[in-house]
Amino acid sequence: METSGCTVGARAWTLQKAQKKFGEADNKNIREDTMRYLELKIQASEQGVEQITALLLGMGITEMSIDDPHDMDDILQKKHEYGWDYIEDNLKENLDREPVISLYFDEADPKAQQMAVMVKDGISALQRRQQAGEFGQQADLGSLTVTENIVDDGDWKDKWKEFFKPTKVTDRIVVKPTWEEYTPKEDELVIEIDPGMAFGTGTHETTSLCMKLMEKYLGDRPEEKKILDVGCGSGILSICGALLGSRDILGIEIDEDAVRVAHENVEENHVEDAVKVIQGDLTKGVDFMADVIVANLMADLVMLLSADARKHLTADGVFISSGILVEKEEKVSAAIREAGFRIVEIAEDGEWCAIAAVPAE
């Protein structure tokens, strides 16, 4: 769910499938044997983007690109203290257009094509619900138009990398792609990341919210605290925990490709002595007690995880969860409380929130 055109996630039917097939092949070889995709471009308002994102996540689609001109407006207005010093002129154009969500489906995969049809049907359903006033009289989801094109991966396989730049997430933590140069300032912790076929570049609100809460709740003695990272994706939060000082971190990820990517990122950041990544389904079969559990998932999975999280958390530990739309915060908070937790903090960034909870007394 990254913005400004970044490709994220780690599931089927996307351009990353081509990366897996071709491996480290050069561009010439890739063009000799390109893969063709059905490209769906969905136009919507910012409010519509959030509804569509939730719809896609509910369908199991975790990889998309979101090109939102409002992100550039924030940069131009220098709303962040670490704003850019230089911005190319072409990035300042067409700031009044609607955001665009792009999805790619393997043209040769019948299941992928069926999923594309389901997406289009889902957008049509959103249009009908908006017309019926289900989202309120003031709601505006935008045009909700869908454009289809057939494209091949030779032209844009790595194009998303143009938009993934070094980003300062907190006062101390900087996330940078492995292919970009960056000179850290004093006291900055730099996470080198290549998301590859895994979710997690660190620039999405849900990931940055988790990092900020981790930095806060690891406290002054992070080396004494163990971290359990459930649904670790690219491994970015596990790596963050290690750079902050924790020496015993377990990352769990259900996707085989994401586990491989996480291992590579752990090695890239030289924290393999502190971070272990395994393939698994949430905490099933896991014997690990943590002082900090972090779960950047989605609302339904956080609710499902909450009861098991309590079993894996020390008495004075903290459970940090994100991937939660603000509109679902109350429902998720209720499930977390029911699992035996007390909510101590809810952090918000745009349409997303993160919840910090501790065992109830």
Side-chain angles (χ1 to χ4, degrees):
M1 296 164 286
E2 306 289 350
T3 56
S4 302
C6 292
T7 302
V8 301
R11 299 297 183 265
W13 318 311
T14 61
L15 64 91
Q16 257 75 358
K17 192 172 182 181
Q19 290 179 317
K20 181 179 180 182
K21 178 178 179 180
F22 297 116
E24 300 301 322
D26 59 28
N27 289 335
K28 180 179 178 181
N29 291 335
I30 290 174
R31 288 181 182 274
E32 290 175 351
D33 189 14
T34 56
M35 296 182 67
R36 289 166 59 84
Y37 294 86
L38 170 63
E39 175 190 64
L40 295 186
K41 287 187 173 292
I42 308 168
Q43 290 181 258
S45 66
E46 284 192 282
Q47 185 178 7
V49 166
E50 300 301 336
Q51 291 292 336
I52 294 169
T53 300
L55 170 70
L56 296 175
L57 288 173
M59 297 171 66
I61 298 176
T62 60
E63 181 158 326
M64 64 200 78
S65 70
I66 303 176
D67 182 6
D68 188 347
H70 296 95
D71 294 332
M72 181 54 62
D73 185 60
D74 285 349
I75 293 173
L76 292 172
Q77 298 300 322
K78 288 189 177 292
K79 292 185 177 180
H80 304 291
E81 60 184 58
Y82 42 85
W84 302 95
D85 294 323
Y86 171 77
I87 301 172
E88 294 182 4
D89 290 337
N90 65 320
L91 295 178
K92 304 176 185 178
E93 300 172 356
N94 301 318
L95 296 182
D96 58 345
R97 62 179 173 81
E98 284 189 318
V100 178
I101 300 175
S102 298
L103 303 166
Y104 298 91
F105 301 88
D106 188 347
E107 189 184 35
D109 188 339
K111 291 183 178 179
Q113 294 303 306
Q114 183 179 7
M115 182 62 73
V117 172
M118 292 173 61
V119 169
K120 290 185 287 185
D121 289 344
I123 299 301
S124 296
L126 280 180
Q127 291 174 332
R128 292 192 296 271
R129 291 175 63 192
Q130 177 174 234
Q131 292 169 358
E134 289 188 28
F135 300 105
Q137 295 300 318
Q138 303 300 318
D140 178 14
L141 304 188
S143 61
L144 296 179
T145 57
V146 181
T147 304
E148 300 182 42
N149 291 293
I150 299 297
V151 297
D152 69 66
D153 68 334
D155 292 330
W156 41 258
K157 173 176 173 286
D158 290 326
K159 190 172 180 60
W160 63 277
K161 292 184 177 181
E162 298 176 10
F163 303 93
F164 183 15
K165 300 294 183 181
T167 302
K168 192 165 185 178
V169 179
T170 73
D171 290 339
R172 296 178 61 200
I173 301 170
V174 175
V175 177
K176 68 171 284 295
T178 54
W179 56 88
E180 288 280 340
E181 295 294 328
Y182 181 80
T183 302
K185 299 176 183 177
E186 187 178 358
D187 295 331
E188 283 187 342
L189 303 174
V190 180
I191 300 175
E192 299 261 358
I193 205 77
D194 185 345
M197 299 179 70
F199 179 89
T201 62
T203 59
H204 190 263
E205 295 92 330
T206 59
T207 312
S208 60
L209 284 168
C210 283
M211 287 186 182
K212 292 171 183 176
L213 291 177
M214 287 175 67
E215 186 174 14
K216 177 178 180 178
Y217 288 101
L218 279 173
D220 296 331
R221 296 183 177 179
E223 69 280 359
E224 298 178 1
K225 296 182 178 179
K226 299 167 65 174
I227 299 174
L228 179 60
D229 180 6
V230 183
C232 65
S234 66
I236 188 167
L237 294 179
S238 293
I239 295 166
C240 175
L243 293 183
L244 286 170
S246 175
R247 309 314 303 156
D248 193 351
I249 302 164
L250 177 63
I252 304 172
E253 170 59 47
I254 195 171
D255 185 85
E256 180 180 357
D257 291 314
V259 171
R260 175 183 56 79
V261 170
H263 281 141
E264 293 171 356
N265 285 320
V266 166
E267 292 178 1
E268 180 71 32
N269 287 272
H270 310 293
V271 293
E272 55 266 47
D273 60 330
V275 179
K276 178 182 179 182
V277 179
I278 63 172
Q279 185 175 5
D281 185 1
L282 298 178
T283 58
K284 294 179 181 177
V286 174
D287 182 15
F288 189 88
M289 291 298 293
D291 301 286
V292 175
I293 296 178
V294 59
N296 185 20
L297 301 168
M298 53 186 289
D300 290 344
L301 286 178
V302 170
M303 294 167 64
L304 180 65
L305 172 66
S306 295
D308 281 337
R310 180 64 184 87
K311 300 175 185 177
H312 290 273
L313 192 67
T314 58
D316 57 351
V318 61
F319 173 36
I320 298 170
S321 58
S322 191
I324 306 162
L325 285 168
V326 171
E327 63 191 54
K328 294 188 176 182
E329 178 269 312
E330 290 187 8
K331 183 178 181 181
V332 176
S333 292
I336 292 175
R337 291 190 184 96
E338 187 176 343
F341 288 98
R342 175 172 57 87
I343 308 295
V344 293
E345 183 174 355
I346 298 174
E348 295 185 7
D349 187 349
E351 299 294 323
W352 301 93
C353 71
I355 301 172
V358 298
E361 297 178 359

